């Protein structure tokens, strides 16, 4: 049997503990101290014994600081193990994976180089641009318990069609995808779809992540105009920056359900089993 040791960064302590339990592996905590000048000092509490070392750290805001913490932990533990895996349940910069406007730097490529240079042999992330580990099954399990009337799954954009299809299949219902346009300069979102038939149905808007909430707000406003019943939101990563949760509620969303790839009020679905199984 493969032997793992799970080391947590400070952004993912709870999830790391859960993953360690599922893997029946030792768990090591790290400490983070931030100095008045903004620099941080990371200390590892214990030296990992001979094993594959799995460092768990999501890189949600403060993204760069959480990323540097991850790199620091990896650079330390690789001295004690020839195999260091980085589990980054929510991976910041994943959306910056191509040059959308001339001159833009593809930062996820830089992140990849940094991880490799620090000593990471394998990266595991959830949902964002990764088909390997998906949280859709566990999210659907949660929604099966809700009493919904004629549920319909909705993707807020065409890019999320496959995800919505999978979600709908598991929920044993149908799905639609809206046409969304995002202005690459201002970040403003608009829904370009015409009429959709959602009347009197409960809707589940499925997305990989919510950042500012712009996509969900616009989609909900559009769907409400089409006389749907309730709107639920299922997403893997609920960043909900600034007042996103408030804006989404105001638009008419009944409930946001997300996973614990990052902590928060809506993080009701645990992905530790999915991650542990993918590591094994
Ligand atoms: C992008 O296409 C993603 O799937 C999400 O829809 C998007 O990143 C959400 O961002 P925001 O909440 O800022 O609209």
């Amino acid at each position: 049997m493969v032997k793992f040791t799970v080391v947590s960064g400070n952004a993912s302590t709870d999830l790391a503990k859960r993953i360690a339990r599922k893997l029946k592996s030792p768990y090591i905590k790290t400490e983070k101290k931030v100095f008045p000048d903004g620099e941080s000092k990371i200390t590892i509490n214990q030296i990992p014994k001979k094993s594959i070392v799995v460092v768990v750290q999501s890189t949600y805001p403060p993204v760069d600081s959480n990323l540097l913490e991850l790199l620091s932990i990896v650079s330390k533990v690789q001295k004690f193990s020839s195999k260091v895996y980085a589990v980054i349940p929510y991976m910041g910069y994943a959306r910056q994976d191509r040059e959308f406007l001339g001159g833009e730097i593809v930062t996820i490529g830089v992140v990849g180089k940094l991880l490799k240079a620090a000593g990471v042999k394998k990266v595991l992330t959830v949902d964002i641009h990764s088909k390997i580990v998906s949280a859709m099954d566990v999210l659907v399990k949660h929604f099966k318990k809700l009493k919904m009337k004629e549920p319909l799954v909705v993707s807020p954009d065409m890019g999320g069609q496959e995800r919505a299809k999978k979600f709908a299949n598991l929920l044993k219902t149908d799905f639609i995808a809206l046409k969304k346009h995002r202005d690459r300069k201002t970040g403003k979102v608009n829904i370009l779809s015409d009429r959709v038939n959602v009347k009197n149905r409960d809707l589940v808007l499925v997305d990989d992540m919510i950042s500012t909430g712009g996509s969900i707000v616009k989609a909900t406003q559009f769907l409400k105009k089409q006389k749907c019943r309730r709107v639920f939101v299922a997403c893997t990563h609920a960043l909900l920056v600034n007042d996103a949760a408030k804006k989404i509620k105001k638009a008419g969303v009944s409930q946001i359900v997300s996973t614990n790839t990052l902590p928060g009020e809506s993080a009701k679905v645990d992905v530790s089993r999915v991650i542990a199984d993918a590591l094994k």
Side-chain angles (χ1 to χ4, degrees), residues 95 157 180 182 207-215:
R95 290 185 294 177
D157 52 54
K180 175 179 106 177
R182 186 189 291 274
D207 212 342
D208 55 353
M209 64 181 288
I210 305 173
S211 179
T212 64
S215 306

Side-chain angles (χ1 to χ4, degrees), residues 11-231:
S12 297
T13 44
D14 181 63
L15 183 55
K17 261 185 232 163
R18 287 170 186 267
I19 294 170
R21 246 180 271 141
K22 303 273 167 18
L23 291 172
K24 297 189 172 45
S25 302
Y27 165 74
I28 297 176
K29 209 171 155 315
T30 56
E31 307 288 342
K32 180 179 184 169
K33 182 179 172 192
V34 181
F35 293 105
D37 61 2
E39 284 181 8
S40 51
K41 182 171 78 176
I42 321 293
T43 312
I44 183 158
N45 282 353
Q46 234 178 291
I47 297 304
K49 298 234 171 73
K50 208 172 158 6
S51 57
I52 295 177
V53 178
V54 178
V55 182
V56 185
Q57 169 86 332
S58 274
T59 52
Y60 55 83
V63 180
D64 296 340
S65 160
N66 283 335
L67 175 64
L68 190 62
E69 184 182 339
L70 167 65
L71 294 166
S72 303
I73 298 169
V74 169
S75 75
K76 180 75 176 178
V77 296
Q78 58 89 33
K79 295 190 172 115
F80 310 100
S81 170
S82 57
K83 271 192 187 160
V84 178
Y85 296 169
V87 170
I88 314 174
Y90 168 72
M91 192 189 262
Y93 291 112
R95 290 185 294 177
Q96 294 188 43
D97 63 346
R98 70 191 95 144
E99 191 175 330
F100 293 101
L101 299 176
E104 284 177 2
I105 291 157
V106 183
T107 308
I108 193 64
V110 181
V111 172
K113 280 185 198 154
L114 289 170
L115 289 167
K116 197 169 170 199
V120 170
K121 292 285 183 292
K122 227 189 232 181
V123 175
L124 195 147
T125 180
V126 184
D127 275 329
I128 294 181
H129 297 153
S130 151
K131 293 220 160 74
I132 311 162
V133 183
S134 170
M136 287 304 126
D137 297 68
V138 276
L139 276 167
V140 171
K141 262 192 202 152
H142 180 95
F143 277 86
K144 275 187 176 162
K145 288 185 238 151
L146 302 183
K147 287 195 173 72
M148 291 187 285
K149 193 188 165 210
E150 288 182 63
L152 172 70
V153 175
V154 185
S155 169
D157 52 54
M158 288 296 170
Q161 265 193 102
E162 276 308 308
R163 194 181 302 122
K165 187 177 172 188
K166 182 175 178 190
F167 199 98
N169 283 343
L170 292 166
L171 199 61
K172 298 199 174 12
T173 189
D174 46 344
F175 79 98
I176 56 168
L178 304 180
K179 273 189 216 138
K180 175 179 106 177
H181 174 261
R182 186 189 291 274
D183 185 308
R184 289 267 159 219
K185 281 212 170 110
T186 63
K188 279 226 161 91
V189 167
N190 271 310
I191 300 296
L192 308 176
S193 293
D194 299 325
R195 285 179 58 82
V196 286
N197 192 8
V198 294
K199 206 168 172 196
N200 292 331
R201 293 184 74 172
D202 276 337
L203 308 181
V204 187
L205 267 170
V206 179
D207 212 342
D208 55 353
M209 64 181 288
I210 305 173
S211 179
T212 64
S215 306
I216 295 297
V217 166
K218 286 289 165 126
T220 305
Q221 288 168 344
F222 169 77
L223 295 161
K224 285 274 173 186
K225 270 194 201 143
Q226 314 280 318
K227 306 265 184 297
C228 66
R229 212 171 162 247
R230 293 173 298 175
V231 177

Side-chain angles (χ1 to χ4, degrees), residues 235 237-238 240 255-260 262-269:
C235 82
H237 317 285
L240 297 169
Q255 209 183 320
I256 305 171
V257 178
S258 66
T259 76
N260 59 349
L262 47 108
E265 220 180 281
S266 61
K268 296 177 183 118
V269 173

